[in-house]
Amino acid sequence: MRKLPSFFKKFASASQKGFTLIELLVVIGILGVLVSALVATINPFEQIKKGDDATLKNVAAEMQTATLRYYTTHGGLPWDAVLSGGDTNCTAEGAVDGNKDIPVATQLNSANFNTCIDALQADKELKDGFEDFSKLGSLFISETNTNPVVCFEPTSISQRKAPETKYDNLGVLKVGCPDTTDPDDASNCFFCAK
């Protein structure tokens, strides 16, 4: 029988080498620890809350600018009772102040406020289907000197600690906001689009 050249012997002996089961288990264990540390660092639930807060900021700004544009073309906000053709359901929101009804921290998904949203959609200030947005109940609208204010209470820790989270649900500066001492605790500090 013929002998194998030394070149082939190297490959023959190398192919018989491998990892033992214990070595594989140790590597899998180390990878598991690294992955769990990474997940704890990223905190996926906090990332979801940040995404929700970012969406609410955009929707609040959209609602606030839509009502301002409505004001520039109509000389009043959708809930102003003095507007000709104002919707009585929309103007019924909030408390009467002189000739107009001012929403007092009205939730955007309240039954009557949908008629205000309809008025904004009829003027093409808001997109159709805006009232179908699932988180409208987290937004509150009020008015300060004919300036609409749309607020929400953030759920993410980073937005609760943000300097712009300093209002109550009416858009009035609130003492103690933002609460940086215990951002996990709901402190009723709101972000407002003004």
Side-chain angles (χ1 to χ4, degrees):
M1 190 173 220
R2 200 168 150 200
K3 285 186 168 184
L4 289 172
S6 64
F7 176 76
F8 288 111
K9 286 182 183 178
K10 287 181 184 176
F11 282 114
S13 64
S15 66
Q16 293 175 357
K17 291 181 180 178
F19 295 108
T20 65
L21 182 59
I22 293 174
E23 290 171 329
L24 289 174
L25 289 175
V26 167
V27 169
I28 290 171
I30 291 170
L31 289 175
V33 168
L34 291 174
V35 167
S36 63
L38 180 65
V39 167
T41 302
I42 293 176
N43 192 353
F45 297 113
E46 178 66 13
Q47 298 303 319
I48 291 169
K49 290 177 182 179
K50 278 184 182 179
D52 288 345
D53 286 348
T55 301
L56 284 170
K57 278 173 119 174
N58 289 336
V59 172
E62 184 178 349
M63 183 65 186
Q64 197 267 344
T65 56
T67 51
L68 278 178
R69 288 190 305 266
Y70 187 93
Y71 181 83
T72 59
T73 57
H74 293 277
L77 296 166
W79 49 83
D80 287 349
V82 295
L83 288 179
S84 58
D87 189 295
T88 56
N89 287 326
C90 181
T91 58
E93 288 296 321
V96 176
D97 177 20
N99 289 329
K100 55 184 167 180
D101 296 321
I102 300 173
V104 179
T106 301
Q107 285 186 299
L108 291 189
N109 71 340
S110 64
N112 288 341
F113 202 79
N114 278 337
T115 58
C116 292
I117 292 174
D118 291 342
L120 291 167
Q121 287 175 334
D123 270 23
K124 302 298 183 202
E125 301 298 347
L126 284 176
K127 295 177 184 175
D128 293 336
F130 182 85
E131 71 274 8
D132 297 331
F133 180 65
S134 64
K135 300 208 181 285
L136 285 181
S138 302
L139 294 168
F140 295 89
I141 191 164
S142 60
E143 179 185 343
T144 306
N145 300 324
T146 68
N147 184 27
V149 179
V150 184
C151 303
F152 74 94
E153 185 176 9
T155 56
S156 70
I157 294 171
S158 60
Q159 186 60 53
R160 284 185 182 169
K161 293 192 311 186
E164 65 267 12
T165 306
K166 58 184 176 184
Y167 303 100
D168 64 9
N169 63 348
L170 294 171
V172 177
L173 282 174
K174 184 176 178 185
V175 176
C177 290
D179 185 7
T180 56
T181 57
D182 190 8
D184 288 330
D185 183 34
S187 57
N188 295 321
C189 295
F190 285 74
F191 169 87
C192 295
K194 293 183 156 202

